[in-house]
């Protein structure tokens, strides 16, 4: 058996075809769990070992340093040839090497700085302050919009010309000054590394041709995640003299909010002439039952390359679709199911994953897992009670109980902003030190040093004192205290300058805290702030004591990309949750949500359980849920196909409380349809998130009716009435 035969012996027919093909551009459509990494590493190894291509003539790009390092290690293992200096890395790392190579050849300065996101935000914040835009522009939102413009290759001049409102005009100014400051500092941010590389390739054809000769083979992993500027860079890297292979899966393109364009992979065979397409459809991860259900869902997308995953693992446990009363019952069911499966199969905790659409959904799971002492890890996000907006509110609660808590005082004295600068806070500290009293006591006695304060600072401290006195009156009821705080401070206004996705995420987190304290107050005789804080402190102590090496992973579906687990729970399958209501306005939005569901389902190796709550608290009130369209797509025309099983939990999740009958729940689930079908143009309505508004236009009929609503906030939204939970006022 020769070396080529040995190398290809562990590949299936399609994988081997992808490894051996070099006649024209190659698109490898690699379904979930189909062995795309194996194809890439074997193709590189084949080039080096069998075709005797120098490792330095190969340009292999991926999206994470971890993936790049793994690729190098696998190639080295397959070839026994050191690949230390090989051009394998992330887009950004490869761009740095190209820029330095070019500057070295041109006699330019190679010692430029690279600013990370924190550095960039610091510069942007400084520019905002220097131009007195503090009340008009938020630094984090400005950074996100600037990054979005760079990824779309929109220059500072073009952005300023296209600005359509005062906020965009202000950010355009910040964008221009930010780029000027980067240039003066001889620095690039991450986005600029890509833009500078494209600029070099465009303006210097001789250098571009040199790269074409040097990089005879270009390979790209996760091509579906490329944005526009990355696409342009790869087009410039390719020529008739070199070969390009891209590997990806349009069905797993889920980063549109970061600028990724699924169209890059869908139109690859149009952009690169004579493209050969190889489909990897054999899945090595999941059971037949899981793949049948996943294929059923993704087949509803129209904007995709046709492929159907299959496997040799015939049968398998049915995909379970479980209906619970509410989100607390949902979390309780999943926690108990994990305990049950561990007893039956001796599984490790790390074999389980709970996936959900938004970070705000983590709170019920964290509480249930803590209650049952199930160790868990929140992936890609700090734990619920450690999120900044939650810690800010809890810091106020801590001051109510313990006015001597200086850490909490320093955290909230100017949150929300009260016009207290460093000088005002310094005066509070100085008076406290001189009189040996707490910072809170010092603030309460600010009249004694009022002459040292500006009028604005004095008014701010007075406002803080009044707020704390009001909260003192509510300290025997945690729910009342939290709600009073949010009301008196107009806490939601803090996030008004954030972009919509981040703002909604923070508001959802605050609402989850309100839900938590309400539940606590309903279930405990002692519902005081002190008791609630003790509960939170106890949970934190348990978390700190647990060994998180073996823990259930709970995370958003976005953070689960590339991972796999024996058992996966996908929670919150209701319209407006998953798919998220932000996606309702466009078909492309729904298609990305469906791809997200497909990614979630294909993380499971043996067991997949999908849960849906009949009622879920959203924005302060419990409302009946509409079952997610994805559940209906899994089930198709049959109520329960051979690969799925609709069930209610085998054990009660609330003592002494029976589940509603399926018929009753479905009847109540349909009620919003009947009520919403009565809306007409001109109706005054109230939306659970956007607030009050007026219906300006209705389009479509029945379940497909879309309302254009003008809200008093100034926003105009197109909303599917079927899923809106709006009411007429």
């Amino acid at each position: 058996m020769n070396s080529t035969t040995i190398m290809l012996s562990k590949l299936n027919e399609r994988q081997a075809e992808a490894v051996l093909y070099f006649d024209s551009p190659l698109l490898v459509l690699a379904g979930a769990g189909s062995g795309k990494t194996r194809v890439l590493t074997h193709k590189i190894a084949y080039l080096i070992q069998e075709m005797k291509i120098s490792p330095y003539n190969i340009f292999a790009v991926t999206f994470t340093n971890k993936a790049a390092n793994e690729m190098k290690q696998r190639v080295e293992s397959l070839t026994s040839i050191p690949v230390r200096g090989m051009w394998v890395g992330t887009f950004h790392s490869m761009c740095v090497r190209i820029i330095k190579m070019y500057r070295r050849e041109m006699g330019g300065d190679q010692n430029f700085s690279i600013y990370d996101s924190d550095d960039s935000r610091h510069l942007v914040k400084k520019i905002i302050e220097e131009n007195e835009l503090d009340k008009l522009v938020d630094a984090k939102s400005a950074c996100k919009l600037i990054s979005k413009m760079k990824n779309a290759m929109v220059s500072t001049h073009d952005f300023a010309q296209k600005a359509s409102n005062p906020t965009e005009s202000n950010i355009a100014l910040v964008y221009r000054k930010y780029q000027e400051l980067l240039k003066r500092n001889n620095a690039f941010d991450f986005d600029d590394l890509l833009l500078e590389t494209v600029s070099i390739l465009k303006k210097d054809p001789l250098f571009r041709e040199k790269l074409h000769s040097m990089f005879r083979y270009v390979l790209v992993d996760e091509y579906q995640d490329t944005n526009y500027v990355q696409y342009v860079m790869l087009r410039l890297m390719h020529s008739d003299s070199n070969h390009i292979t891209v590997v990806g899966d349009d069905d797993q393109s889920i980063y549109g909010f970061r600028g990724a364009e699924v169209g890059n992979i869908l139109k690859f065979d149009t952009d690169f002439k004579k493209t050969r397409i190889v489909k990897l459809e054999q899945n090595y991860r999941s059971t037949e039952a899981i793949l049948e259900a996943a294929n059923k869902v993704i087949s509803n997308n129209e904007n995709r390359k046709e492929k159907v995953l299959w496997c040799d693992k015939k049968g398998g446990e049915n995909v379970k679709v479980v209906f619970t009363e509410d989100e607390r019952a949902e979390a309780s069911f999943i926690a108990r199911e994990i305990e049950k499966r561990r007893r039956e199969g001796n599984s490790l905790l790390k074999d389980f994953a709970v996936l959900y659409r938004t970070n705000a959904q983590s709170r019920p799971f964290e509480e249930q897992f803590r209650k049952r002492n199930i160790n868990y890890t929140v992936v890609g996000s700090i734990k619920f009670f450690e999120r900044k907006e939650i810690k800010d509110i809890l810091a106020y609660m801590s001051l109510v109980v313990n006015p001597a808590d200086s850490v909490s005082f320093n955290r909230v004295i100017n949150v929300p902003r009260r016009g207290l600068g460093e000088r005002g806070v310094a005066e509070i500290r100085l008076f406290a030190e001189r009189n040996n009293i707490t910072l809170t006591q010092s603030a309460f006695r600010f009249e004694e040093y009022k002459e040292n304060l500006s009028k604005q600072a004095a008014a701010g401290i007075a406002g803080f004192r009044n707020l704390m006195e009001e909260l003192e009156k509510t300290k025997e009821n945690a729910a009342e205290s939290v709600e009073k705080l949010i009301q008196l401070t107009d806490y939601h206004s803090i996030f008004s300058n954030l972009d919509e996705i981040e703002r909604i995420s923070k508001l959802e987190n605050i609402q989850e805290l309100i839900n938590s304290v309400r539940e606590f107050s309903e279930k405990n005789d002692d519902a005081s702030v002190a008791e609630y804080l003790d509960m939170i402190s106890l949970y934190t102590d348990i978390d700190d004591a647990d060994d998180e090496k073996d823990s259930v992973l709970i995370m958003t579906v976005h953070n689960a990309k590339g991972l796999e687990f024996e058992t996966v729970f996908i929670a919150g399958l209701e319209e407006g949750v998953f798919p998220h209501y932000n996606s309702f306005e466009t078909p492309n939005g729904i298609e990305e949500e469906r791809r997200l569901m497909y990614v979630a389902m294909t993380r499971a190796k043996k067991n997949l359980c999908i849960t849906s709550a009949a009622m879920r608290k959203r924005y302060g009130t419990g409302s009946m849920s509409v079952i997610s369209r994805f559940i209906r797509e899994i089930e198709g025309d049959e109520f329960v196909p051979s690969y799925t099983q609709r069930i209610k939990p085998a054990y009660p999740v609330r003592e002494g409380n029976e589940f509603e009958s399926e018929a009753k729940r479905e009847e109540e689930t349909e009620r919003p349809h009947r009520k919403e079908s009565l809306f007409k143009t001109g109706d005054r309505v109230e939306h659970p998130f956007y607030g009050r508004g007026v219906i300006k236009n209705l389009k479509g009929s029945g379940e497909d009716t879309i309302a254009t609503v003008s809200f008093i906030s100034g926003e105009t939204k197109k909303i599917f009435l079927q899923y809106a939970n709006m009411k007429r006022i």
Side-chain angles (χ1 to χ4, degrees), residues 219-233:
L219 300 97
V220 186
D221 190 15
E222 304 284 10
Y223 188 69
Q224 78 280 350
D225 292 334
T226 54
N227 59 28
Y228 179 66
V229 66
Q230 290 163 339
Y231 158 79
V232 172
M233 173 185 165

Side-chain angles (χ1 to χ4, degrees), residues 405-447:
D405 184 349
S406 62
V407 172
S408 292
F409 180 91
N410 287 324
R411 186 177 189 96
V412 302
I413 184 59
N414 207 28
V415 177
R417 295 191 179 211
R418 300 185 170 87
L420 268 172
E422 292 182 6
R423 180 179 172 184
V425 175
E427 289 294 333
I428 295 174
R429 291 198 182 105
L430 182 61
F431 188 80
E433 290 170 2
R434 287 176 175 173
N435 293 275
N436 195 27
I437 56 177
T438 68
L439 293 173
T440 304
Q441 290 170 329
S442 176
F444 274 42
R445 292 168 54 182
F446 76 93
E447 286 94 347

